[in-house]
Amino acid sequence: MQIYVKDFPLATPVEVMIDVSNLCNFRCLFCPTGDPELLESVGRPKGNMEFDLFCKIIDDIGKFNKRVKYLHLYKDGEPFLNKDLGRMIAYVKSKDIAVSVETTSNGVLIDETRAIEIIEAGLDRIRISVAQVNDTGYKNITQTYSDYKTIRKNVKFLYYEKVRRKSPLEINCKILDCGFSDTEINKFLDDFGFISDGVSCDTLMGWSLTDVKDFTLGLPIETGTDGFIPLNRNRKVCPTPFYTLAINFNGLVSVCCVDWSWGTIVGDVSRESLFDIWNGRKMKEFRILHLRGERVKIKPCANCHYIMGLNNQLGEIDGYSEYLLDKIVSSLC
């Protein structure tokens, strides 16, 4: 799906992320959710999204002029900790408001019952985040879990079951390179290559607020998460505010999927329509700060590693700052 800068501001976001649960059964060293003290320091609440609120959000998305390209049922936590996940997927699919409905999971809770549930609900794509390739490594990274075989067993059942049912569900497994040896990476590829539709070894990222904590574990990161595109350390304008929205479990709307501290809130979908938030003054003012080269005024954006590694369908928009600024400022008048 090609997006052109001349079409900004978009009438419909390309991607919407809904955090059905910001709780997690892991405490991964590279993830903000894995650090309770850090989350407490920024006052981030925790919980599961209520089904009624979820339905309201989906109905709101249906009021845009076309379907969103990607609907991610995931942001900060483990989606399968929400017992309503299957119902949520089924509700989204019944409304036909997204081209692809997707989620991400660490795989622990996807037992046979939950696997069948998401297949029957019509999920289009799931990404399984594998943390390590043995029990000891799992415990070292997650600090809570040490059963590698269960992860693989769950993924294997999900894959074989979706094949048996001729489901179009796409299963992708990825591992974040925390300094793995070639032997460890090859083991991951061997263990999951034949029980998934795709595998990848991704690069760690520093998230937002990189001055608060180093989520790269001290590794020399030179590319985006895909491991190929070099970091653009000079990027001034982040494309994310122009095509995405992220909705937290309680309805507060963040601009960005890596806003783990909830510092980019632009609305509350429990009280406002998502359409009004997307087209609202707060969203426009947020974009204006980026276009003026003043993202330093937005705390999570000031020292963000994510912006440097973006490999997105928009490409670079720094050169279009004045053009876009004129369009957005005039819309505020």
Side-chain angles (χ1 to χ4, degrees), residues 96-182:
D96 193 28
I97 52 88
V99 175
S100 182
V101 180
E102 310 181 354
T103 194
T104 299
S105 171
N106 59 39
V108 176
L109 300 176
I110 311 178
D111 58 16
E112 293 185 6
T113 299
R114 302 298 293 276
I116 293 171
E117 181 181 63
I118 63 173
I119 292 172
E120 292 183 342
L123 186 68
D124 294 297
R125 183 172 182 262
I126 185 168
R127 185 169 65 168
I128 308 293
S129 295
V130 180
Q132 245 283 359
V133 294
N134 55 59
D135 291 354
T136 300
Y138 250 92
K139 191 59 178 287
N140 289 339
I141 288 292
T142 70
Q143 304 182 80
T144 62
Y145 187 79
S146 60
D147 188 356
Y148 175 70
K149 289 183 179 179
T150 292
I151 303 289
R152 190 171 184 278
K153 181 188 72 173
N154 288 351
V155 174
K156 184 177 181 179
F157 177 83
L158 178 64
Y159 182 75
Y160 283 2
E161 188 67 13
K162 76 105 173 182
V163 170
R164 187 182 72 81
R165 292 168 176 258
K166 296 182 173 58
S167 164
L169 172 65
E170 180 182 338
I171 303 169
N172 297 107
C173 294
K174 60 99 171 177
I175 196 168
L176 282 174
D177 188 357
C178 300
F180 295 138
S181 66
D182 290 343

Coordinates of all heavy atoms in Angstrom, one line a residue, residues 96-182:
D96 N -15.7 -6.0 9.6 CA -14.9 -5.7 8.3 C -14.3 -4.3 8.2 O -14.5 -3.6 7.2 CB -15.8 -6.0 7.1 CG -15.0 -6.1 5.8 OD1 -13.8 -6.5 5.9 OD2 -15.5 -5.8 4.7
I97 N -13.7 -3.9 9.3 CA -13.1 -2.5 9.3 C -11.6 -2.5 9.1 O -11.0 -1.4 9.1 CB -13.5 -1.8 10.7 CG1 -13.1 -2.7 11.9 CG2 -15.0 -1.5 10.7 CD1 -11.7 -2.5 12.4
A98 N -11.0 -3.6 8.9 CA -9.6 -3.7 8.7 C -9.2 -4.7 7.7 O -9.8 -5.8 7.6 CB -8.9 -4.0 10.0
V99 N -8.2 -4.4 6.9 CA -7.7 -5.3 5.9 C -7.1 -6.6 6.5 O -7.3 -7.7 6.1 CB -6.7 -4.7 4.9 CG1 -6.1 -5.7 3.9 CG2 -7.4 -3.5 4.2
S100 N -6.3 -6.3 7.6 CA -5.6 -7.4 8.3 C -5.7 -7.1 9.8 O -5.4 -6.1 10.3 CB -4.1 -7.4 7.9 OG -3.5 -8.5 8.5
V101 N -6.2 -8.2 10.5 CA -6.3 -8.1 12.0 C -5.2 -9.0 12.5 O -5.1 -10.2 12.2 CB -7.7 -8.6 12.5 CG1 -7.7 -8.6 14.0 CG2 -8.8 -7.8 11.8
E102 N -4.3 -8.4 13.4 CA -3.1 -9.0 13.8 C -2.8 -8.9 15.3 O -3.4 -8.1 15.9 CB -1.9 -8.4 13.0 CG -2.1 -8.3 11.5 CD -1.0 -7.7 10.8 OE1 0.0 -7.2 11.4 OE2 -1.0 -7.7 9.5
T103 N -2.0 -9.8 15.8 CA -1.6 -9.6 17.2 C -0.1 -10.2 17.3 O 0.4 -10.8 16.4 CB -2.5 -10.4 18.1 OG1 -2.2 -9.9 19.5 CG2 -2.4 -11.9 18.1
T104 N 0.4 -9.9 18.5 CA 1.8 -10.4 18.8 C 1.7 -11.1 20.2 O 1.0 -10.6 21.1 CB 2.8 -9.3 18.8 OG1 2.8 -8.7 17.5 CG2 4.2 -9.7 19.2
S105 N 2.4 -12.2 20.4 CA 2.4 -12.9 21.7 C 3.7 -13.5 22.0 O 4.5 -13.8 21.0 CB 1.3 -14.0 21.6 OG 1.3 -14.8 22.7
N106 N 4.0 -13.8 23.2 CA 5.2 -14.6 23.6 C 4.9 -16.1 23.5 O 5.9 -16.8 23.6 CB 5.7 -14.2 25.0 CG 4.7 -14.4 26.1 OD1 3.9 -15.4 26.1 ND2 4.6 -13.5 27.1
G107 N 3.7 -16.5 23.3 CA 3.4 -17.8 22.9 C 3.1 -18.8 24.1 O 2.5 -19.9 23.9
V108 N 3.3 -18.3 25.3 CA 3.1 -19.2 26.5 C 1.7 -19.6 26.7 O 1.4 -20.8 27.0 CB 3.7 -18.5 27.8 CG1 3.4 -19.4 29.0 CG2 5.1 -18.2 27.7
L109 N 0.8 -18.7 26.5 CA -0.6 -19.0 26.8 C -1.4 -19.5 25.7 O -2.6 -19.8 25.8 CB -1.3 -17.7 27.3 CG -0.7 -17.1 28.6 CD1 -1.4 -15.8 29.0 CD2 -0.8 -18.1 29.8
I110 N -0.8 -19.8 24.5 CA -1.5 -20.3 23.4 C -1.6 -21.8 23.4 O -0.9 -22.5 22.7 CB -0.9 -19.8 22.0 CG1 -0.6 -18.3 22.1 CG2 -1.8 -20.1 20.9 CD1 0.0 -17.7 20.8
D111 N -2.3 -22.3 24.3 CA -2.5 -23.7 24.4 C -3.5 -24.2 23.3 O -3.9 -23.3 22.5 CB -3.0 -24.1 25.8 CG -4.3 -23.5 26.2 OD1 -5.0 -22.9 25.3 OD2 -4.7 -23.5 27.4
E112 N -3.9 -25.4 23.3 CA -4.7 -25.9 22.2 C -6.1 -25.2 22.2 O -6.6 -24.9 21.1 CB -5.0 -27.4 22.4 CG -3.7 -28.2 22.2 CD -3.9 -29.7 22.2 OE1 -5.1 -30.1 22.2 OE2 -2.9 -30.5 22.1
T113 N -6.7 -24.9 23.3 CA -8.0 -24.2 23.4 C -7.9 -22.8 22.8 O -8.7 -22.4 22.0 CB -8.5 -24.2 24.8 OG1 -8.7 -25.5 25.3 CG2 -9.8 -23.4 24.8
R114 N -6.9 -22.1 23.2 CA -6.7 -20.7 22.7 C -6.3 -20.7 21.3 O -6.7 -19.7 20.5 CB -5.7 -19.9 23.6 CG -6.0 -19.8 25.1 CD -7.3 -19.1 25.4 NE -7.3 -17.7 25.1 CZ -6.8 -16.7 25.9 NH1 -6.2 -17.0 27.0 NH2 -7.0 -15.4 25.5
A115 N -5.5 -21.6 20.9 CA -5.1 -21.7 19.4 C -6.3 -21.9 18.5 O -6.5 -21.2 17.5 CB -4.1 -22.9 19.2
I116 N -7.2 -22.8 18.9 CA -8.4 -23.1 18.1 C -9.3 -21.8 18.1 O -9.9 -21.5 17.1 CB -9.1 -24.3 18.6 CG1 -8.3 -25.6 18.3 CG2 -10.5 -24.4 18.0 CD1 -8.8 -26.8 19.0
E117 N -9.3 -21.2 19.3 CA -10.2 -20.0 19.4 C -9.8 -18.9 18.4 O -10.7 -18.3 17.8 CB -10.0 -19.5 20.9 CG -10.9 -18.3 21.2 CD -10.6 -17.8 22.6 OE1 -9.5 -17.4 22.9 OE2 -11.6 -17.8 23.4
I118 N -8.5 -18.6 18.3 CA -8.1 -17.5 17.4 C -8.2 -17.9 15.9 O -8.4 -17.0 15.1 CB -6.7 -17.0 17.7 CG1 -5.6 -18.0 17.5 CG2 -6.7 -16.4 19.2 CD1 -4.2 -17.5 17.7
I119 N -8.0 -19.2 15.7 CA -8.2 -19.6 14.3 C -9.6 -19.5 13.9 O -10.0 -18.9 12.8 CB -7.7 -21.1 14.1 CG1 -6.2 -21.2 14.3 CG2 -8.1 -21.6 12.8 CD1 -5.7 -22.6 14.4
E120 N -10.5 -20.0 14.7 CA -12.0 -19.9 14.4 C -12.5 -18.5 14.4 O -13.4 -18.1 13.7 CB -12.8 -20.7 15.4 CG -12.5 -22.2 15.3 CD -13.3 -23.1 16.3 OE1 -13.9 -22.5 17.2 OE2 -13.5 -24.3 16.0
A121 N -11.9 -17.6 15.2 CA -12.3 -16.2 15.2 C -11.9 -15.4 13.9 O -12.5 -14.4 13.6 CB -11.7 -15.5 16.4
G122 N -10.9 -16.0 13.2 CA -10.6 -15.4 11.9 C -9.3 -14.5 11.9 O -9.2 -13.6 11.0
L123 N -8.5 -14.6 12.9 CA -7.3 -13.8 13.0 C -6.5 -14.0 11.7 O -6.3 -15.1 11.2 CB -6.4 -14.2 14.2 CG -5.2 -13.4 14.5 CD1 -5.6 -12.0 15.0 CD2 -4.3 -14.0 15.6
D124 N -6.0 -12.8 11.2 CA -5.2 -12.9 9.9 C -3.7 -13.2 10.1 O -3.1 -13.9 9.3 CB -5.4 -11.6 9.2 CG -6.8 -11.3 8.7 OD1 -7.3 -12.1 7.9 OD2 -7.4 -10.3 9.2
R125 N -3.2 -12.6 11.2 CA -1.7 -12.8 11.3 C -1.3 -12.7 12.8 O -1.9 -11.9 13.6 CB -1.0 -11.7 10.6 CG 0.6 -11.8 10.6 CD 1.2 -10.8 9.7 NE 2.6 -10.9 9.6 CZ 3.5 -10.1 10.3 NH1 3.0 -9.2 11.1 NH2 4.8 -10.2 10.2
I126 N -0.4 -13.6 13.2 CA 0.1 -13.5 14.6 C 1.6 -13.6 14.5 O 2.2 -14.4 13.7 CB -0.4 -14.7 15.5 CG1 0.0 -14.5 16.9 CG2 -0.1 -16.1 14.9 CD1 -0.7 -15.4 17.9
R127 N 2.3 -12.8 15.3 CA 3.7 -12.8 15.4 C 4.1 -13.4 16.8 O 3.6 -12.8 17.8 CB 4.3 -11.4 15.2 CG 5.8 -11.4 15.2 CD 6.4 -10.1 14.7 NE 6.0 -9.0 15.7 CZ 6.6 -7.8 15.6 NH1 7.5 -7.5 14.7 NH2 6.2 -6.9 16.5
I128 N 4.9 -14.4 16.8 CA 5.3 -15.0 18.1 C 6.7 -14.5 18.4 O 7.6 -14.7 17.6 CB 5.3 -16.6 18.0 CG1 4.0 -17.1 17.5 CG2 5.7 -17.2 19.4 CD1 2.8 -16.9 18.5
S129 N 6.9 -13.9 19.5 CA 8.2 -13.4 19.9 C 8.9 -14.4 20.8 O 8.5 -14.6 21.9 CB 8.0 -12.1 20.7 OG 7.5 -11.0 19.9
V130 N 9.8 -15.1 20.2 CA 10.6 -16.1 20.9 C 11.8 -15.4 21.6 O 12.5 -14.6 21.0 CB 11.2 -17.1 19.9 CG1 12.0 -18.2 20.7 CG2 10.0 -17.8 19.2
A131 N 12.0 -15.7 22.9 CA 13.0 -14.9 23.7 C 14.4 -15.6 23.7 O 15.4 -14.9 23.7 CB 12.5 -14.8 25.1
Q132 N 14.4 -16.9 23.6 CA 15.7 -17.6 23.6 C 15.5 -19.0 23.0 O 14.5 -19.3 22.6 CB 16.2 -17.7 25.1 CG 17.5 -16.9 25.3 CD 18.7 -17.6 24.8 OE1 18.7 -18.7 24.3 NE2 19.9 -17.0 25.0
V133 N 16.6 -19.8 23.1 CA 16.5 -21.1 22.5 C 16.8 -22.2 23.5 O 17.0 -23.4 23.1 CB 17.5 -21.2 21.3 CG1 17.0 -20.3 20.1 CG2 18.9 -20.9 21.7
N134 N 16.7 -21.9 24.8 CA 16.9 -22.9 25.8 C 16.3 -22.4 27.1 O 16.0 -21.2 27.2 CB 18.3 -23.4 26.0 CG 19.3 -22.2 26.3 OD1 19.1 -21.5 27.3 ND2 20.3 -22.0 25.4
D135 N 16.1 -23.3 28.0 CA 15.4 -22.9 29.3 C 16.2 -21.9 30.1 O 15.7 -20.9 30.6 CB 15.2 -24.1 30.2 CG 14.2 -25.1 29.6 OD1 13.5 -24.7 28.6 OD2 14.0 -26.2 30.2
T136 N 17.5 -22.1 30.2 CA 18.4 -21.1 30.9 C 18.3 -19.7 30.3 O 18.2 -18.7 31.0 CB 19.8 -21.6 31.0 OG1 19.9 -22.9 31.6 CG2 20.7 -20.7 31.8
G137 N 18.4 -19.7 29.0 CA 18.4 -18.4 28.3 C 17.1 -17.7 28.5 O 17.0 -16.5 28.7
Y138 N 16.0 -18.5 28.5 CA 14.6 -17.9 28.7 C 14.6 -17.2 30.1 O 14.0 -16.1 30.2 CB 13.5 -19.0 28.6 CG 12.7 -18.8 27.3 CD1 13.0 -19.4 26.1 CD2 11.6 -17.9 27.3 CE1 12.3 -19.2 25.0 CE2 10.8 -17.7 26.2 CZ 11.2 -18.4 25.0 OH 10.4 -18.2 23.9
K139 N 15.0 -17.9 31.1 CA 15.0 -17.4 32.4 C 15.8 -16.1 32.6 O 15.4 -15.2 33.2 CB 15.4 -18.4 33.5 CG 15.2 -18.1 34.9 CD 13.7 -17.8 35.1 CE 13.3 -17.5 36.6 NZ 13.4 -18.7 37.5
N140 N 17.0 -16.1 31.9 CA 17.9 -15.0 32.0 C 17.2 -13.7 31.3 O 17.4 -12.6 31.8 CB 19.2 -15.3 31.3 CG 20.0 -16.2 32.1 OD1 19.8 -16.4 33.3 ND2 21.0 -16.9 31.4
I141 N 16.5 -13.9 30.2 CA 16.0 -12.8 29.5 C 14.6 -12.4 30.1 O 14.4 -11.2 30.3 CB 15.8 -13.2 28.0 CG1 17.1 -13.2 27.3 CG2 14.9 -12.1 27.3 CD1 17.8 -11.9 27.2
T142 N 13.7 -13.3 30.4 CA 12.4 -13.0 30.8 C 12.3 -12.8 32.3 O 11.3 -12.2 32.8 CB 11.4 -14.1 30.4 OG1 11.6 -15.3 31.2 CG2 11.5 -14.5 28.9
Q143 N 13.2 -13.4 33.1 CA 13.3 -13.3 34.5 C 12.1 -14.0 35.2 O 12.0 -14.1 36.4 CB 13.3 -11.8 35.0 CG 14.4 -11.0 34.4 CD 14.4 -9.6 34.9 OE1 14.9 -9.3 36.1 NE2 13.9 -8.7 34.2
T144 N 11.2 -14.6 34.4 CA 10.0 -15.3 35.0 C 9.8 -16.7 34.4 O 9.0 -17.5 35.1 CB 8.7 -14.5 34.8 OG1 8.5 -14.4 33.4 CG2 8.9 -13.1 35.4
Y145 N 10.3 -17.0 33.3 CA 9.9 -18.2 32.6 C 11.1 -19.0 32.1 O 12.1 -18.4 31.7 CB 9.0 -17.8 31.3 CG 8.4 -18.9 30.6 CD1 7.2 -19.5 31.1 CD2 8.9 -19.4 29.4 CE1 6.6 -20.6 30.4 CE2 8.4 -20.4 28.7 CZ 7.2 -21.0 29.2 OH 6.6 -22.1 28.6
S146 N 10.9 -20.3 32.1 CA 12.1 -21.2 31.7 C 11.6 -22.5 31.1 O 12.2 -23.6 31.4 CB 12.9 -21.5 32.9 OG 12.2 -22.1 33.9
D147 N 10.7 -22.5 30.2 CA 10.2 -23.7 29.5 C 10.1 -23.5 28.0 O 9.1 -23.3 27.4 CB 8.8 -24.1 30.1 CG 8.4 -25.5 29.6 OD1 9.1 -26.1 28.8 OD2 7.3 -25.9 30.0
Y148 N 11.3 -23.6 27.4 CA 11.4 -23.4 25.9 C 10.5 -24.4 25.1 O 9.9 -24.0 24.1 CB 12.8 -23.5 25.5 CG 13.1 -23.4 24.0 CD1 12.9 -22.2 23.3 CD2 13.6 -24.5 23.3 CE1 13.2 -22.1 22.0 CE2 13.8 -24.4 22.0 CZ 13.7 -23.2 21.3 OH 13.9 -23.2 19.9
K149 N 10.5 -25.6 25.6 CA 9.8 -26.7 24.8 C 8.3 -26.4 24.7 O 7.6 -26.7 23.7 CB 10.0 -28.0 25.5 CG 11.4 -28.6 25.3 CD 11.5 -30.0 25.9 CE 12.9 -30.5 25.7 NZ 13.1 -31.9 26.4
T150 N 7.7 -25.7 25.8 CA 6.3 -25.4 25.7 C 6.0 -24.4 24.6 O 5.0 -24.4 23.9 CB 5.8 -24.9 27.1 OG1 5.8 -26.0 28.0 CG2 4.4 -24.4 27.0
I151 N 6.9 -23.4 24.5 CA 6.7 -22.4 23.4 C 6.7 -23.1 22.1 O 5.7 -22.8 21.3 CB 7.9 -21.4 23.5 CG1 8.0 -20.7 24.8 CG2 7.7 -20.3 22.3 CD1 7.0 -19.7 25.1
R152 N 7.6 -23.9 21.8 CA 7.7 -24.6 20.5 C 6.5 -25.5 20.3 O 5.9 -25.6 19.2 CB 9.0 -25.4 20.4 CG 9.2 -25.9 19.0 CD 10.6 -26.5 18.8 NE 10.8 -26.9 17.4 CZ 10.3 -28.0 16.9 NH1 9.7 -28.9 17.7 NH2 10.5 -28.3 15.6
K153 N 6.1 -26.2 21.4 CA 4.9 -27.1 21.3 C 3.6 -26.3 20.9 O 2.8 -26.7 20.1 CB 4.7 -27.8 22.6 CG 3.5 -28.8 22.6 CD 3.2 -29.3 24.0 CE 2.6 -28.2 24.9 NZ 2.1 -28.8 26.2
N154 N 3.5 -25.1 21.6 CA 2.3 -24.3 21.3 C 2.3 -23.8 19.9 O 1.2 -23.8 19.2 CB 2.3 -23.1 22.3 CG 1.9 -23.5 23.7 OD1 1.5 -24.7 23.9 ND2 2.0 -22.6 24.6
V155 N 3.4 -23.4 19.4 CA 3.5 -22.8 18.0 C 3.3 -24.0 17.0 O 2.6 -23.8 16.0 CB 4.9 -22.2 17.8 CG1 5.0 -21.8 16.3 CG2 5.1 -21.0 18.6
K156 N 3.8 -25.2 17.3 CA 3.7 -26.3 16.4 C 2.2 -26.7 16.3 O 1.7 -27.0 15.2 CB 4.5 -27.5 17.0 CG 4.4 -28.7 16.1 CD 5.3 -29.8 16.6 CE 5.3 -31.1 15.8 NZ 6.2 -32.1 16.3
F157 N 1.5 -26.7 17.5 CA 0.1 -27.1 17.4 C -0.7 -26.0 16.6 O -1.6 -26.4 15.8 CB -0.5 -27.2 18.8 CG -2.0 -27.5 18.8 CD1 -2.5 -28.8 18.6 CD2 -2.9 -26.5 18.9 CE1 -3.8 -29.1 18.6 CE2 -4.3 -26.7 18.8 CZ -4.8 -28.0 18.7
L158 N -0.4 -24.8 16.9 CA -1.1 -23.7 16.2 C -0.9 -23.8 14.7 O -1.9 -23.7 13.9 CB -0.7 -22.3 16.7 CG -1.3 -21.1 16.0 CD1 -2.8 -21.0 16.3 CD2 -0.6 -19.8 16.5
Y159 N 0.3 -24.1 14.3 CA 0.6 -24.1 12.8 C -0.1 -25.3 12.2 O -0.7 -25.2 11.2 CB 2.1 -24.2 12.7 CG 2.5 -24.3 11.2 CD1 2.5 -23.1 10.4 CD2 2.9 -25.5 10.6 CE1 2.9 -23.1 9.1 CE2 3.3 -25.5 9.3 CZ 3.2 -24.3 8.5 OH 3.6 -24.4 7.2
Y160 N 0.1 -26.5 12.8 CA -0.5 -27.7 12.2 C -2.1 -27.6 12.2 O -2.7 -28.1 11.3 CB -0.1 -29.0 13.0 CG 1.3 -29.4 12.8 CD1 2.1 -28.7 11.9 CD2 1.8 -30.6 13.4 CE1 3.4 -29.2 11.6 CE2 3.1 -31.0 13.1 CZ 3.9 -30.3 12.2 OH 5.2 -30.7 12.0
E161 N -2.6 -27.0 13.2 CA -4.1 -26.9 13.3 C -4.6 -25.9 12.2 O -5.6 -26.2 11.6 CB -4.5 -26.4 14.7 CG -6.0 -26.4 14.9 CD -6.6 -27.8 14.9 OE1 -5.9 -28.8 15.0 OE2 -7.9 -27.9 14.9
K162 N -3.9 -24.9 12.0 CA -4.4 -23.9 11.0 C -4.2 -24.5 9.6 O -5.0 -24.3 8.7 CB -3.6 -22.6 11.1 CG -2.2 -22.5 10.6 CD -2.1 -21.8 9.3 CE -0.6 -21.6 8.9 NZ -0.5 -20.8 7.7
V163 N -3.1 -25.3 9.4 CA -3.0 -26.0 8.1 C -4.1 -27.0 7.9 O -4.7 -27.1 6.8 CB -1.6 -26.7 8.0 CG1 -1.5 -27.6 6.8 CG2 -0.5 -25.6 8.0
R164 N -4.4 -27.8 9.0 CA -5.4 -28.8 8.9 C -6.8 -28.2 8.6 O -7.6 -28.8 7.8 CB -5.5 -29.6 10.2 CG -6.5 -30.8 10.2 CD -6.5 -31.4 11.6 NE -7.3 -30.6 12.5 CZ -8.6 -30.6 12.6 NH1 -9.4 -31.3 11.8 NH2 -9.2 -29.8 13.5
R165 N -7.0 -27.0 9.1 CA -8.3 -26.4 8.9 C -8.3 -25.5 7.6 O -9.3 -24.9 7.3 CB -8.7 -25.5 10.1 CG -9.0 -26.3 11.4 CD -9.0 -25.3 12.6 NE -9.4 -26.0 13.8 CZ -10.6 -26.0 14.3 NH1 -11.5 -25.2 13.8 NH2 -10.9 -26.6 15.4
K166 N -7.2 -25.5 6.9 CA -7.0 -24.6 5.7 C -7.3 -23.1 6.1 O -7.9 -22.4 5.3 CB -7.9 -25.1 4.6 CG -7.6 -26.5 4.1 CD -8.5 -26.9 2.9 CE -8.0 -28.2 2.3 NZ -8.0 -29.3 3.2
S167 N -6.9 -22.7 7.3 CA -7.0 -21.3 7.7 C -6.0 -20.5 7.0 O -4.8 -20.9 6.9 CB -6.9 -21.2 9.2 OG -6.7 -19.9 9.6
P168 N -6.3 -19.2 6.6 CA -5.3 -18.3 6.0 C -4.5 -17.6 7.1 O -3.6 -16.8 6.7 CB -6.2 -17.3 5.3 CG -7.5 -17.3 6.1 CD -7.7 -18.7 6.6
L169 N -4.6 -18.0 8.4 CA -3.8 -17.4 9.4 C -2.3 -17.5 9.1 O -1.8 -18.6 8.8 CB -4.1 -18.1 10.8 CG -3.2 -17.6 11.9 CD1 -3.4 -16.2 12.3 CD2 -3.5 -18.5 13.1
E170 N -1.7 -16.3 9.1 CA -0.2 -16.3 8.9 C 0.5 -16.3 10.2 O 0.2 -15.4 11.1 CB 0.2 -15.1 8.1 CG 1.6 -15.0 7.8 CD 2.0 -13.8 7.0 OE1 1.1 -13.2 6.3 OE2 3.2 -13.3 7.0
I171 N 1.4 -17.2 10.4 CA 2.2 -17.3 11.7 C 3.7 -17.0 11.4 O 4.3 -17.6 10.6 CB 2.1 -18.7 12.3 CG1 0.6 -19.1 12.5 CG2 2.9 -18.8 13.6 CD1 0.4 -20.6 12.9
N172 N 4.1 -15.9 12.1 CA 5.5 -15.5 11.9 C 6.2 -15.6 13.3 O 5.7 -15.1 14.3 CB 5.6 -14.1 11.3 CG 5.1 -14.0 9.9 OD1 4.0 -13.4 9.7 ND2 5.8 -14.6 9.0
C173 N 7.4 -16.2 13.3 CA 8.2 -16.2 14.6 C 9.4 -15.4 14.4 O 10.1 -15.4 13.4 CB 8.6 -17.7 14.9 SG 7.2 -18.8 15.2
K174 N 9.7 -14.6 15.5 CA 10.9 -13.8 15.4 C 11.6 -13.8 16.8 O 11.0 -14.1 17.8 CB 10.5 -12.3 15.1 CG 9.6 -11.6 16.0 CD 10.2 -10.7 17.0 CE 9.3 -9.9 17.8 NZ 9.9 -9.1 18.8
I175 N 12.9 -13.6 16.7 CA 13.7 -13.5 17.9 C 14.5 -12.2 17.9 O 14.9 -11.8 16.8 CB 14.6 -14.8 18.0 CG1 15.2 -14.9 19.5 CG2 15.7 -14.7 17.0 CD1 15.8 -16.3 19.7
L176 N 14.6 -11.6 19.1 CA 15.4 -10.4 19.1 C 16.8 -10.7 19.5 O 17.1 -11.4 20.5 CB 14.8 -9.5 20.2 CG 13.5 -8.7 19.8 CD1 13.0 -7.9 21.1 CD2 13.8 -7.7 18.7
D177 N 17.7 -10.3 18.7 CA 19.1 -10.6 18.8 C 19.7 -9.9 20.0 O 20.0 -8.7 20.0 CB 19.9 -10.2 17.6 CG 21.3 -10.7 17.6 OD1 21.7 -11.3 18.6 OD2 22.1 -10.6 16.6
C178 N 19.9 -10.6 21.1 CA 20.4 -10.1 22.4 C 21.9 -10.5 22.5 O 22.4 -10.7 23.6 CB 19.7 -10.6 23.6 SG 17.9 -10.1 23.6
G179 N 22.6 -10.5 21.3 CA 24.0 -10.9 21.3 C 24.1 -12.4 21.1 O 25.1 -13.0 21.6
F180 N 23.2 -13.0 20.3 CA 23.2 -14.5 20.1 C 24.4 -14.9 19.3 O 24.9 -14.2 18.4 CB 21.9 -15.0 19.5 CG 20.7 -14.8 20.3 CD1 19.5 -14.3 19.8 CD2 20.7 -15.1 21.7 CE1 18.4 -14.1 20.5 CE2 19.6 -14.9 22.5 CZ 18.4 -14.4 21.9
S181 N 24.9 -16.2 19.5 CA 25.9 -16.8 18.7 C 25.2 -17.3 17.4 O 24.0 -17.4 17.3 CB 26.6 -17.9 19.4 OG 25.6 -19.0 19.6
D182 N 26.0 -17.6 16.4 CA 25.5 -18.2 15.1 C 24.8 -19.5 15.4 O 23.8 -19.8 14.8 CB 26.6 -18.4 14.1 CG 27.1 -17.1 13.6 OD1 26.5 -16.1 13.7 OD2 28.2 -17.1 13.0

